[in-house]
Amino acid sequence: MSNVLNADAKGVFVIAVTPFTESGELDLASTDRMVDFYLESRATGLTILGILGEATKLTAEESRTFVKRVLARVAGRVPVIVGASAAGFAPMRELSTSVMDLGASGVMVAPAPTLRTDDQIVAYFDMVNTTLGADCPWVLQDHPVSTGVQMSTSVVLRVLKNSPACVMLKHEDSPGLAKLSALRAASDKGDLKRVSILTGNGGGLFLPEELTRGADGAMTGFAYPEMMVDVCHAHASGDIEKAHDIFDAYLPLARYEQQSNIGLAVRKYLMAQRGVIASAALRKPGPKLSEADIADIDRLVRRQTRRLQEIQ
Amino acid sequence: MSNVLNADAKGVFVIAVTPFTESGELDLASTDRMVDFYLESRATGLTILGILGEATKLTAEESRTFVKRVLARVAGRVPVIVGASAAGFAPMRELSTSVMDLGASGVMVAPAPTLRTDDQIVAYFDMVNTTLGADCPWVLQDHPVSTGVQMSTSVVLRVLKNSPACVMLKHEDSPGLAKLSALRAASDKGDLKRVSILTGNGGGLFLPEELTRGADGAMTGFAYPEMMVDVCHAHASGDIEKAHDIFDAYLPLARYEQQSNIGLAVRKYLMAQRGVIASAALRKPGPKLSEADIADIDRLVRRQTRRLQEIQ
Amino acid sequence: MSNVLNADAKGVFVIAVTPFTESGELDLASTDRMVDFYLESRATGLTILGILGEATKLTAEESRTFVKRVLARVAGRVPVIVGASAAGFAPMRELSTSVMDLGASGVMVAPAPTLRTDDQIVAYFDMVNTTLGADCPWVLQDHPVSTGVQMSTSVVLRVLKNSPACVMLKHEDSPGLAKLSALRAASDKGDLKRVSILTGNGGGLFLPEELTRGADGAMTGFAYPEMMVDVCHAHASGDIEKAHDIFDAYLPLARYEQQSNIGLAVRKYLMAQRGVIASAALRKPGPKLSEADIADIDRLVRRQTRRLQEIQ
Amino acid sequence: MSNVLNADAKGVFVIAVTPFTESGELDLASTDRMVDFYLESRATGLTILGILGEATKLTAEESRTFVKRVLARVAGRVPVIVGASAAGFAPMRELSTSVMDLGASGVMVAPAPTLRTDDQIVAYFDMVNTTLGADCPWVLQDHPVSTGVQMSTSVVLRVLKNSPACVMLKHEDSPGLAKLSALRAASDKGDLKRVSILTGNGGGLFLPEELTRGADGAMTGFAYPEMMVDVCHAHASGDIEKAHDIFDAYLPLARYEQQSNIGLAVRKYLMAQRGVIASAALRKPGPKLSEADIADIDRLVRRQTRRLQEIQ
C-alpha cells in the first residue's frame, strides 16, 4: 500500500465526514475510529474537507488539526485528498500548500460557480495549475449540481490536456453515463492521457453501470462503504450480476442517504449507530433529523440487513 | 368513476408521454393504446402536456388534437389534467380556456422561473387565479429542479390560502419529506384547507416514505405505473412492508428511468418494448439512447422481472 | 427605402412598445401614431414583440393583429423584425412562419435559458436554423442579463458560421466593448462573414463607444429615439465629440429609463407625455410609477431640455 | 471626527481598492497615499476588502497586513468597515474577530449565494448575529447582482428587526428607488429602527435620486470620490439642481467605470493617472484594459474636465 496519488488510482476513495461532539467541538477520538473504519472497509483512499465534510464550518486552525489527525492515523497506508476549492487563488494556494506540507497526497478542485463559457472554464484551470504548481497532484471535480457549472466532454478534455498534474477526475455530472463513455473512448483513442476516473454520481447511485462504462471506482460517501468496495470487487472479478445484487440490496437506504440537505445528517446518524463516531451532530447551521426521518431510516436498515442475508 | 378533479383526489395520476411516429408525427393510434394501458394499470387520473410530455415541441394545433384524442379515449372515466405553465398570462388563459372547453378536468401551473422572493411568488399566483378564473380547478406544481423557484412551506400555505380553485399540490421539492409533513400538519391543524397532495419527487423515488407522511398518492411518469398503483394499494391496506417490497423491486430501474435528460428516452423505450406505443422516438431535439444505455436497461428489466417473481 | 433585412443594415432599429388603452386593450390608433413617430425620428427599422414589447402578455390573436397593424402602417418603408424566442421549436416555427407570411422582414432569436455549454449553444442554433428554414433572415440576440446564457466570442463566431440566414447580431452583452472589437476584428480578418451588428447594451448607454468599435448602429428602445439617430449621424460624419455631446445630454434620463423592471413604465410615461401613445398603461402584471418616480422623471426631462438648448 | 460606526453614519464611505505593484505585491506606500487621498476627498468612512478590493486574491497574512496599514494611516479619523462575507460561519467569525481586534469599526456581510426563500435569508442572518456577537457593528449588504439573492423589503425589515448590531444597510438592489422609499417609510412609521442607508446602486449611478428618497449617502467606489461628496453636500444644502449638475458632469465617466468585470481596471487606471496609486495593476486573474479602452477613458476624462469648468 502507498499514499501516492496518481492516474492509476482504483477502488473506493471514501468522502469522510468530520466528526463533532454533541456540543460542536472537533471529535478527534471519533476521527481516529472513523479512519480505522474506512480502512477496515477496504477504502483505497480518503477525501477530506469536501462539502460533505462541513469544511466551511471549520476555522483554519481546526482544519489543520483535523487534517493532521487523519494523516497521522492513516500513516501513509492510502492516499488522502483534501478539498481545496476556494473563493480565490490566494486562499487556494495557502490551503493546498499547507495540506501538502502536512502530508496530503493531493487536492481536489471544482470550477468556481461564476464560470459560464468553455473558455472561462479552461482559463480558470490554467490559473489553478499555476496556483497549485507542477508538483501537487490534483483531482478535477465535475459536480454541476453544487457548482452550477456545466463542463462539456470537450471542455473536460481541454482541461485535462492542459493539466499535467491532474491525475484524477471525480465524475459527478448527471446524467453522466454518456459522458463517462465519451471520456473513456477519448482515453482509449489516445486523445486523452490516462486519468483515474472515480464517480460520485448521486453518492454512487449508478455505481454498477459506471463501472461497466469504464470507471475506476467510486469517490463518494456512504455510511456503508463496504457496499461500494464489494460492488467494485464483484465487478472487477467479472461477476456483474453479483455486483448488481449487492448494490440493489443497499439501494433503498443509499437513495435515502443521498437526499440533498438532510443526507449528511442521515449519514452521520448511521455512522453513529454503527459505533463509528460518537455523535451524529452536525455543526450549526445544519439540518436535524425528525422522528419521522429516523423511523424511515430504521426501517430501511432493518430491511437492508434482511436482504443482505437473503443474497448471501 | 368520474372525471371531476377535486381535493379528494387519490391514487396515481400518471404523467403521460406524447407518442410520435419514427418520423416525428403525432401517433394517435399509440395515444389510444397508451390511454388504455394507463387505465388498465388502474391510474386514477392522467396528466398530459407537461415537460415530460414534450409539450413545447407541439404546435398549438397538435396540442389541441392530442388533448382531444386523449379526452375522447378516456371518455370521462378519470380526470385529465393539462399542463398550463406558460411564458405569460395571456397564453396561459388561452391554453387553459381551450383545454377546459375541450373537456379537461383541470390544469397544472408551476411558478415562473424568474420569481425570487416570497412576495413575488404569492403575487404571481394571485395573477394565476385571476387568469384561470374561479371555475377552473388547478394544480400547484412545486418542482424547484425545473423552475429554479424554491417555495418555502409558508409560501405554499399562503398560495393555497389565496387560491380557492387550487385543489391539488404536486409535491416535487427535494428533499421533500419534511415539507410534506409540515403541509399535512398545517392541514390537520386547520391552517390549510384540505388539498390533495400527490408526489413526484424524483419520479416516485420516495413513494413509500411519502405515503407514510400523508401523501394521497403519486403524480409522475414511470414505464411501470402498476408499481405506483400497487405500492399505494399495499400502503393503504396497512401493509407497509409489502409496499416497500414492491417498491424495492422496481427501484433499480426506476432510478435509471429518472435520470434527467435521457430519462424520457428510457421511458419511451420501455413503453415501446411493452407494446404500449409504436415508436420510442422523441421529437427533436431530444436525446437518443446509446447501445450501452440499452444494454443497461435490458439488464435492469431482466433483473426486475426475476425479483418480482421472487417476492410473489 | 426598403424593407429588406440583410447584413448591410445600419442606423437605429427601435424596439417598439405595445400600446394599450387604460383598460388594457390593444390600442391600434396609438400603434399607428407610434409607427409614424419612430419613422419621423428616422428609425431605419423596427423590432416588435420583444420582451419590452410585452409579447408574453398578448394572445396569439392579439399578436397577429398588432403585427399586421404595424406592417400596414410601415408599408414597406423599413424592415420590421419580430421577436421569435419561444419555449420550443414548434411554437418558434409557428410564430415565425406566421409573421413572415404577414410581411415581416425577419425574426429575432435569443438562446434558450437552459443552455450552458458552448456545444449546447451551437447545437441549439443548428435547430433554430432548421426551424426557421433557409429563407427567413434572422437576428441573433446576445443578451445574457435576460437569458442567463453567456456566449463567448468564439461561440458567437461558431453560430454565425453555421447560420447562413443570420444577418444581424443584436449585441447586448455587458461589458461588451471588447467582444464587439473582437467580432469586428474577426470579420475584418475574414473569419466571420459580414453581419450587421446593432447594439442594445443597457438601452444604448454605451452607444458612442460602440460606434467607435465598429457597431453599425443601435437596436434598443428609448423614448427619445432621435438621440440615437443623431448620435449615429454625428459619428458617421466623423464628429465624435458632437456625438458625445448629444449622448451626454440625454444620458441622465436614458440611465433612468434603462432601469430593469420599471424602465418600460418610464418609457411609456415619456411616450404618453410626448403625445405618441394615448396611455402609459402596461398590461398586468406590470410595475406602476410612484409620484416620486414621476417627480424624478419630470426633473430629468426639464434638465434635458435645457441642456439640449445649451449644446445647440 | 470619530471612528465609531453607528446608525447615524452619513456621507460617503469609499470602497477602497487594494493597491498592488506591477509585479503583484501589496503596495503599502500606495496604500498610505490612497488613504490620504480618500480622506482629503472628504470621505466619511472607508470600506476595505470587498469584492472590488480583490479580497479573495489576498492570503490571510496579506489581508491582515493591509487592514493594519489602512487602520494605522486612518488613525481613528473615520470608521473603517471590512468585508466579512465568507463561505462559512467559522471563517466569518475568524475574519471578523481578527479585524475587530486590529481596530476596525465594523464588518459588512451579504447573504450567501445559496439562499432562496425569505425564511432561509432570515435564518441565515440569525446565524450571522450569533457569529459576530452583540458587540460587532455590522452592515447588511443588499446586492442581488453579485449574490443572486433577492431580498424583498419585508425580508430586509425582518432581518433588521432581528439584528440589534446591524447599524447600516448598503443598498444596492436595482431598480432600488422604490425599495429605498419603502424602507424609509417603515423607519418613519417606527416599524424599523433607524439604520444608516448608504447606496451603491451601480456605483452611485442613481445618487441624486437616492438622496431625494432618503439615503444618508453613498458607499461605493469611484476614482473621483469628490463627485459623490460634492453631490451629497449640494443635496444636503438643498440645492438639488446643483447636485444634479455635478453628478451629470461625471456621469459619462462613472457609467464607463461601473461596467462589471473591467470596471475595477478602469478605476485603478484612473487612480494611477491621478497619482494616487503607483500601478494600475490588478492581481491575477483580472482583466486588462485594451488600447481602445484607454482611448475611450482618456476622451471621457478630457470631456469631464471641460464640463466641470463649464459648470463652475
Side-chain angles (χ1 to χ4, degrees):
Chain A
M1 292 176 92
S2 132
N3 69 342
V4 173
L5 180 68
N6 63 32
D8 297 322
K10 280 190 164 35
V12 177
F13 278 58
V14 179
I15 304 272
V17 303
T18 302
F20 296 106
T21 64
E22 284 295 312
S23 58
E25 301 301 304
L26 262 187
D27 180 347
L28 295 174
S30 287
T31 301
D32 287 346
R33 264 200 312 281
M34 175 185 74
V35 168
D36 295 348
F37 166 74
Y38 288 145
L39 294 188
E40 285 158 14
S41 305
R42 292 155 295 143
T44 54
L46 294 185
T47 302
I48 58 178
L49 295 186
I51 297 172
L52 293 183
E54 302 179 71
T56 61
K57 302 178 189 167
L58 301 183
T59 65
E61 186 53 36
E62 288 173 328
S63 295
R64 265 190 303 273
T65 302
F66 180 69
V67 171
K68 267 192 206 166
R69 188 75 171 215
V70 168
L71 288 168
R73 192 74 174 190
V74 169
R77 287 176 291 170
V78 299
V80 175
I81 298 168
V82 183
S85 298
F89 294 108
M92 186 186 294
R93 179 179 285 118
E94 275 193 307
L95 180 55
S96 61
T97 305
S98 156
V99 300
M100 293 304 286
D101 286 350
L102 290 173
S105 305
V107 299
M108 183 158 73
V109 183
T114 49
L115 302 171
R116 279 298 165 268
T117 71
D118 286 11
D119 289 345
Q120 287 172 350
I121 296 169
V122 169
Y124 181 82
F125 283 105
D126 287 346
M127 279 298 300
V128 168
N129 283 312
T130 304
T131 300
L132 299 180
D135 299 329
C136 177
W138 65 276
V139 180
L140 173 60
Q141 184 176 22
D142 181 11
H143 194 204
V145 165
S146 67
T147 61
V149 180
Q150 197 74 44
M151 298 197 283
S152 64
T153 302
S154 63
V155 158
V156 173
L157 292 175
R158 284 170 68 190
V159 170
L160 292 175
K161 186 165 279 181
N162 292 352
S163 305
C166 178
V167 296
M168 185 183 279
L169 174 67
K170 182 174 188 212
H171 171 70
E172 306 186 80
D173 198 357
S174 168
L177 294 173
K179 194 173 186 174
L180 188 48
S181 293
L183 289 170
R184 271 301 174 232
S187 163
D188 291 350
K189 276 201 309 179
D191 291 353
L192 171 62
K193 64 173 183 177
R194 159 84 199 175
V195 294
S196 172
I197 303 183
L198 302 187
T199 65
N201 202 330
L205 292 186
F206 290 87
L207 183 54
E209 287 86 358
E210 288 163 340
L211 293 172
T212 297
R213 302 289 175 116
D216 298 299
M219 185 194 288
T220 188
F222 181 36
Y224 295 80
E226 60 267 41
M227 177 273 267
M228 301 187 284
V229 171
D230 290 341
V231 168
C232 287
H233 284 190
H235 204 281
S237 75
D239 193 345
I240 314 298
E241 289 299 316
K242 185 174 170 202
H244 277 275
D245 287 344
I246 298 164
F247 177 78
D248 288 358
Y250 287 96
L251 180 57
L253 182 58
R255 159 205 66 121
Y256 201 93
E257 192 187 303
Q258 300 307 335
Q259 293 177 84
S260 65
N261 191 16
I262 71 155
L264 180 59
V266 177
R267 183 173 303 161
K268 283 191 150 186
Y269 171 80
L270 288 167
M271 291 177 74
Q273 291 290 103
R274 299 189 80 184
V276 179
I277 57 179
S279 160
L282 275 73
R283 202 172 246 194
K284 282 205 246 178
K288 283 204 159 183
L289 299 180
S290 67
E291 284 182 34
D293 295 331
I294 289 174
D296 283 343
I297 299 166
D298 290 348
R299 177 191 304 273
L300 291 168
V301 170
R302 280 195 309 274
R303 293 180 54 84
Q304 176 174 291
T305 305
R306 195 185 321 142
R307 183 71 189 136
L308 283 169
Q309 288 164 346
E310 287 172 18
I311 67 169
Q312 257 153 17
Chain B
M1 291 176 94
S2 131
N3 69 342
V4 173
L5 180 69
N6 62 31
D8 296 323
K10 280 190 165 36
V12 178
F13 278 58
V14 180
I15 305 271
V17 302
T18 303
F20 296 105
T21 64
E22 284 294 313
S23 58
E25 301 302 303
L26 262 187
D27 179 349
L28 295 174
S30 288
T31 299
D32 287 345
R33 265 201 310 280
M34 176 185 74
V35 168
D36 296 347
F37 167 73
Y38 288 145
L39 294 188
E40 286 157 15
S41 305
R42 293 154 293 145
T44 54
L46 294 186
T47 303
I48 58 178
L49 294 187
I51 297 172
L52 293 183
E54 303 180 68
T56 60
K57 301 178 191 168
L58 301 182
T59 65
E61 187 52 36
E62 287 173 329
S63 296
R64 265 189 303 274
T65 302
F66 180 69
V67 171
K68 267 192 205 167
R69 187 75 170 217
V70 168
L71 287 167
R73 192 73 174 190
V74 169
R77 287 175 288 169
V78 299
V80 175
I81 298 168
V82 184
S85 299
F89 293 109
M92 187 186 294
R93 180 181 286 118
E94 277 194 306
L95 181 55
S96 60
T97 305
S98 156
V99 300
M100 294 304 287
D101 287 350
L102 291 173
S105 305
V107 299
M108 183 160 70
V109 182
T114 48
L115 302 171
R116 282 295 165 267
T117 71
D118 286 12
D119 289 345
Q120 287 171 349
I121 296 168
V122 169
Y124 181 83
F125 284 104
D126 287 345
M127 279 297 302
V128 168
N129 283 313
T130 304
T131 300
L132 299 180
D135 299 328
C136 177
W138 64 276
V139 181
L140 173 60
Q141 184 177 21
D142 182 11
H143 193 204
V145 165
S146 67
T147 61
V149 180
Q150 196 75 44
M151 297 197 284
S152 64
T153 302
S154 63
V155 159
V156 173
L157 292 175
R158 285 170 67 190
V159 170
L160 292 175
K161 186 164 280 183
N162 292 353
S163 304
C166 178
V167 296
M168 184 184 281
L169 173 68
K170 182 174 188 212
H171 171 71
E172 305 186 80
D173 198 357
S174 167
L177 295 172
K179 194 172 185 174
L180 188 48
S181 293
L183 290 170
R184 271 301 174 230
S187 164
D188 292 349
K189 277 200 308 179
D191 291 352
L192 171 62
K193 64 173 182 176
R194 158 85 200 172
V195 293
S196 171
I197 302 182
L198 302 187
T199 64
N201 202 331
L205 292 185
F206 290 87
L207 183 54
E209 287 87 357
E210 288 163 340
L211 293 171
T212 297
R213 303 289 175 115
D216 297 299
M219 185 195 288
T220 187
F222 181 37
Y224 295 81
E226 60 267 40
M227 178 272 268
M228 302 187 284
V229 172
D230 290 341
V231 168
C232 287
H233 284 191
H235 204 282
S237 75
D239 193 346
I240 314 299
E241 290 298 315
K242 186 175 170 202
H244 277 274
D245 287 345
I246 298 163
F247 177 78
D248 289 358
Y250 288 95
L251 180 56
L253 182 58
R255 157 204 67 122
Y256 202 94
E257 192 186 306
Q258 299 307 334
Q259 295 177 82
S260 64
N261 191 18
I262 71 155
L264 180 60
V266 177
R267 183 173 304 160
K268 284 191 149 185
Y269 171 80
L270 288 166
M271 291 177 73
Q273 292 289 104
R274 299 189 80 184
V276 179
I277 57 179
S279 160
L282 276 73
R283 200 171 248 193
K284 284 205 245 177
K288 283 204 159 184
L289 299 181
S290 67
E291 284 183 33
D293 295 332
I294 288 174
D296 283 343
I297 299 165
D298 289 348
R299 176 192 304 274
L300 291 168
V301 171
R302 281 196 309 272
R303 292 181 54 83
Q304 177 175 291
T305 306
R306 197 185 317 143
R307 183 71 189 135
L308 284 169
Q309 289 165 344
E310 287 172 18
I311 66 169
Q312 256 152 18
Chain C
M1 292 175 93
S2 132
N3 68 343
V4 173
L5 179 68
N6 62 32
D8 296 323
K10 281 190 163 37
V12 177
F13 278 58
V14 179
I15 304 271
V17 302
T18 302
F20 297 105
T21 64
E22 284 295 313
S23 58
E25 301 302 303
L26 262 187
D27 180 347
L28 295 174
S30 287
T31 300
D32 287 346
R33 264 201 311 281
M34 175 185 73
V35 168
D36 295 347
F37 166 73
Y38 288 146
L39 294 188
E40 286 158 14
S41 304
R42 293 153 296 142
T44 54
L46 294 186
T47 303
I48 59 179
L49 294 187
I51 298 172
L52 293 183
E54 303 179 69
T56 61
K57 301 178 191 167
L58 301 183
T59 65
E61 186 53 35
E62 288 173 328
S63 295
R64 266 189 302 274
T65 302
F66 180 69
V67 172
K68 268 191 205 166
R69 188 72 170 219
V70 169
L71 288 168
R73 193 72 174 192
V74 169
R77 287 175 290 169
V78 299
V80 175
I81 298 168
V82 184
S85 299
F89 294 109
M92 187 186 294
R93 178 180 287 119
E94 276 194 307
L95 182 54
S96 60
T97 305
S98 155
V99 300
M100 294 303 287
D101 286 351
L102 291 172
S105 305
V107 299
M108 182 158 72
V109 182
T114 48
L115 302 171
R116 280 297 165 268
T117 70
D118 286 12
D119 289 346
Q120 286 172 350
I121 297 168
V122 169
Y124 181 83
F125 283 105
D126 287 345
M127 279 297 302
V128 168
N129 283 313
T130 304
T131 300
L132 299 180
D135 298 328
C136 177
W138 65 276
V139 180
L140 172 61
Q141 184 176 21
D142 181 11
H143 193 205
V145 165
S146 67
T147 60
V149 180
Q150 197 75 45
M151 297 197 283
S152 64
T153 303
S154 62
V155 158
V156 173
L157 292 175
R158 284 171 68 189
V159 170
L160 292 175
K161 185 165 281 181
N162 293 353
S163 305
C166 178
V167 297
M168 184 184 280
L169 174 68
K170 184 176 187 208
H171 172 71
E172 304 187 81
D173 197 358
S174 169
L177 294 172
K179 193 172 186 175
L180 188 48
S181 293
L183 290 170
R184 271 302 174 229
S187 163
D188 291 349
K189 276 202 307 179
D191 292 350
L192 171 63
K193 64 173 183 178
R194 159 85 199 173
V195 293
S196 172
I197 303 182
L198 302 187
T199 66
N201 201 329
L205 292 186
F206 290 86
L207 183 54
E209 287 87 357
E210 289 163 339
L211 294 171
T212 297
R213 303 289 176 116
D216 297 300
M219 184 195 290
T220 189
F222 181 37
Y224 294 82
E226 60 267 39
M227 177 273 266
M228 302 187 284
V229 172
D230 290 342
V231 168
C232 287
H233 285 189
H235 204 282
S237 74
D239 193 345
I240 314 299
E241 289 299 315
K242 186 176 170 199
H244 277 274
D245 287 345
I246 298 164
F247 177 78
D248 289 358
Y250 287 96
L251 180 57
L253 182 59
R255 160 204 64 121
Y256 201 94
E257 192 187 305
Q258 299 307 334
Q259 294 176 84
S260 63
N261 191 16
I262 71 156
L264 180 60
V266 177
R267 182 173 304 160
K268 283 191 150 185
Y269 171 80
L270 289 166
M271 291 176 73
Q273 291 289 104
R274 299 188 81 183
V276 179
I277 57 179
S279 161
L282 276 73
R283 199 172 249 194
K284 282 206 244 176
K288 282 204 160 185
L289 298 181
S290 67
E291 283 183 35
D293 294 332
I294 289 173
D296 283 343
I297 299 165
D298 289 348
R299 177 192 303 274
L300 291 168
V301 170
R302 282 196 307 274
R303 293 181 54 84
Q304 176 175 293
T305 306
R306 195 185 319 142
R307 182 71 189 136
L308 284 168
Q309 288 165 345
E310 287 173 17
I311 66 168
Q312 255 150 20
Chain D
M1 293 175 95
S2 130
N3 68 341
V4 173
L5 180 68
N6 61 32
D8 297 323
K10 280 190 163 38
V12 178
F13 278 57
V14 179
I15 304 270
V17 302
T18 302
F20 296 105
T21 64
E22 284 294 313
S23 57
E25 302 300 304
L26 262 187
D27 180 347
L28 296 174
S30 287
T31 300
D32 287 346
R33 264 201 311 279
M34 176 185 74
V35 169
D36 296 347
F37 167 73
Y38 287 146
L39 294 188
E40 284 157 16
S41 305
R42 292 154 294 144
T44 55
L46 294 186
T47 302
I48 58 178
L49 294 187
I51 298 172
L52 293 183
E54 302 180 70
T56 60
K57 300 178 191 169
L58 300 183
T59 65
E61 186 53 37
E62 286 173 331
S63 295
R64 268 191 300 275
T65 301
F66 180 69
V67 171
K68 267 192 205 167
R69 187 75 170 216
V70 168
L71 287 168
R73 193 74 175 189
V74 170
R77 287 176 290 171
V78 298
V80 176
I81 297 168
V82 183
S85 298
F89 294 108
M92 187 186 293
R93 180 180 286 119
E94 275 194 305
L95 181 56
S96 61
T97 305
S98 156
V99 300
M100 294 304 286
D101 286 351
L102 291 173
S105 305
V107 299
M108 183 159 72
V109 182
T114 49
L115 302 171
R116 281 295 166 268
T117 71
D118 285 12
D119 290 345
Q120 287 171 348
I121 296 168
V122 169
Y124 181 83
F125 283 105
D126 287 345
M127 278 297 302
V128 168
N129 283 313
T130 304
T131 300
L132 298 180
D135 299 328
C136 176
W138 66 276
V139 180
L140 173 60
Q141 184 176 22
D142 182 12
H143 193 205
V145 166
S146 67
T147 60
V149 181
Q150 197 73 44
M151 297 197 284
S152 65
T153 302
S154 63
V155 159
V156 173
L157 291 175
R158 284 170 68 190
V159 170
L160 292 175
K161 185 165 280 182
N162 293 353
S163 305
C166 178
V167 296
M168 184 184 280
L169 174 68
K170 183 174 188 213
H171 172 71
E172 305 186 81
D173 198 356
S174 168
L177 294 172
K179 193 172 186 176
L180 188 48
S181 293
L183 290 170
R184 271 299 174 234
S187 164
D188 291 350
K189 277 201 307 178
D191 292 350
L192 170 63
K193 64 173 184 178
R194 157 86 199 175
V195 293
S196 172
I197 303 182
L198 302 188
T199 64
N201 201 331
L205 292 186
F206 290 86
L207 184 53
E209 287 87 356
E210 289 163 340
L211 293 171
T212 297
R213 303 289 176 113
D216 298 299
M219 184 195 290
T220 188
F222 181 37
Y224 295 81
E226 60 266 40
M227 177 273 267
M228 302 188 283
V229 172
D230 290 342
V231 168
C232 287
H233 285 191
H235 203 282
S237 75
D239 192 346
I240 314 298
E241 290 298 316
K242 186 176 170 200
H244 277 275
D245 287 344
I246 297 164
F247 177 78
D248 289 358
Y250 287 96
L251 180 56
L253 182 58
R255 158 204 65 121
Y256 202 93
E257 192 187 306
Q258 300 307 336
Q259 294 176 84
S260 64
N261 190 16
I262 72 156
L264 180 60
V266 177
R267 183 173 304 160
K268 284 192 149 185
Y269 171 81
L270 288 166
M271 291 177 74
Q273 292 289 103
R274 298 189 81 184
V276 179
I277 56 178
S279 162
L282 276 73
R283 201 172 247 194
K284 283 205 245 177
K288 282 204 158 184
L289 299 181
S290 67
E291 283 182 34
D293 295 331
I294 288 174
D296 282 343
I297 299 165
D298 290 348
R299 176 192 303 274
L300 291 168
V301 170
R302 281 195 309 274
R303 292 181 54 83
Q304 176 175 291
T305 305
R306 196 186 318 142
R307 183 70 189 136
L308 284 168
Q309 287 164 348
E310 287 172 18
I311 66 168
Q312 256 150 20

